[in-house]
Amino acid sequence: MMGRLSSIVAGARRDGSETAADLNPSRPEEVVAETSLADPALAGEAAAASAAAFAEWRETVPPARGEVLRRAADLLEARAEKIGRDLALEEGKTLAEGVGETRRAAAILRYFAGQTLEPDGETYPSHSRDTFLYARREPVGVVVAITPWNFPIAIPAWKIAPALAYGNTVVWKPAELVPLTATHFTDALHEAGLPEGVLNLVLGRGSVVGDALVTHEAVSAITFTGSNPVGRAIQLTATAAGKKVQLELGGKNPAIVLADADLELAAEHVARGAFLSAGQKCTATSRVIVERPALEELSERVVALARTWQLGDALDEKTKVGPLASAEQLEKVLGYLELAQRERASVLVGGGRADELGTGYFVRPTVLADLPAASRVLREEIFGPVAALLEASSFEHAVALANDTPFGLTAALFTRDLGKALRFARQARAGVVKVNQETGGLELQAPFGGMGESSSGSREQGKVARDFFTQWKTVYLDSPPVP
Ligand code: NDP
């Protein structure tokens, strides 16, 4: 066991009033660490510490802020094997996924370090010859970042790196399941020279400390990734308190496979999108819409991959699909599989827990078919290694099925027909469209976010991230008349 993990407020480790066990989802009897949980008073102190640190951090020149991020990136890179292993241990991702995600976090820090050398405003021609008219982006103030467990270092990095680069201070509330990864990330930033209080880590239950953070008078903005009900509740509370809010929520992402597609490629990408990270990503493929002539071959290929990809302990190098992250996740996913069976769906492969793997939260990669159109299995985010097949009679029918969801995060199409690809790129109601690529997998320099119920507020990642983390100030600068 790693010992005791605590909140970090104004640079000091601070214990709360309760402790919780951080469990290994591959073997839940194994305690990875003990977490001392913050109470609302400590969360309030963290917000106040961020407010106190803001005056100096906003005055720190942007390239100097960037240097801190760059040094933190170097530290994460040097520690990627160790942090990736701890991430896999507490979250259940495979070792390769954990190490890869840690390297991604380093790359995100480097990207936003680079952004601190980019132009930060615009000049405008004025109607007065003596006026220098310009507008400049300034930080918004104290930002609360509330992050989920499914990408425990990459998602925090893509919120915290731009927040800091553009001069904000941050209170970070990571998911309760991943306190060790959160501690590693915070430590790297502090060791890189981030001044005390600029980033404050609150290890506490969202239901306990959430309101204290979201409504705190010192807080200007909240950036959240997680479930729809929690995100919407935060939005209502925060908006009523006059805060800026950004939400990244769920998905029910479609992958359309047309009859002319390369079916080997399509099957590989569908399986990757549906089963990697045990399907626990907002960009996961959960509805596979196949044109009739391709249905049999595509489903056989996906089923074959689901059978061969090794399910097992996250730290076993041969594992391709790890466990679900928690007992709650297991219960939720098994609930959907039971519902599918009650609705007489065909279970082409998988369909339940892998009991032979012991106490870990392992669910077999699953392919379902023949679900009723109104089934909740086809409409709600499952967040497990489960794909449902749907048959389409034409391209138009496939697009209509793909768009038949309140979500709109990512959408994929597999085809060799450029005209259909372009039409799909226009007509798909999704924030990210992929052609001949899986629904998951993002590049950090491009905007990310969804339509409909999947997002609210401005996009994350890439240069556009600054729209959330900055506000414009317009300056009319006149010189007195020259004597
Ligand atoms: P939550 O939305 O509960 O958790 C996301 C974050 O919000 C966590 O840090 C959580 O803290 C925090 N939180 C919870 N309640 C509050 C609150 N009242 N005020 C402020 N913050 C709060 O998601 P779950 O972890 O419960 O996952 C449930 C489902 O949500 C998944 O099965 C999946 O469908 C979806 N989900 C989607 C994600 C995505 O990427 N789109 C990511 C994660 C989940 P704490 O951990 O302490 O509860």
Side-chain angles (χ1 to χ4, degrees), residues 146-150 155 173-177 204-207 210-211 214 224-227 230 234 248-250 281-282 329 332 381-383:
I146 300 176
T147 55
W149 41 264
N150 63 329
I155 291 177
K173 215 262 5 120
E176 202 196 326
L177 294 178
R205 295 202 166 95
S207 54
D211 264 6
V214 167
F224 170 89
T225 298
S227 64
V230 173
I234 287 175
E248 283 304 333
L249 307 170
K281 47 191 177 190
C282 48
Q329 274 295 114
K332 182 181 165 195
E381 184 174 53
I382 297 177
F383 235 55

Side-chain angles (χ1 to χ4, degrees), residues 273-288:
F275 307 140
L276 293 188
S277 303
Q280 299 175 116
K281 47 191 177 190
C282 48
T283 56
T285 304
S286 67
R287 296 176 298 137
V288 187

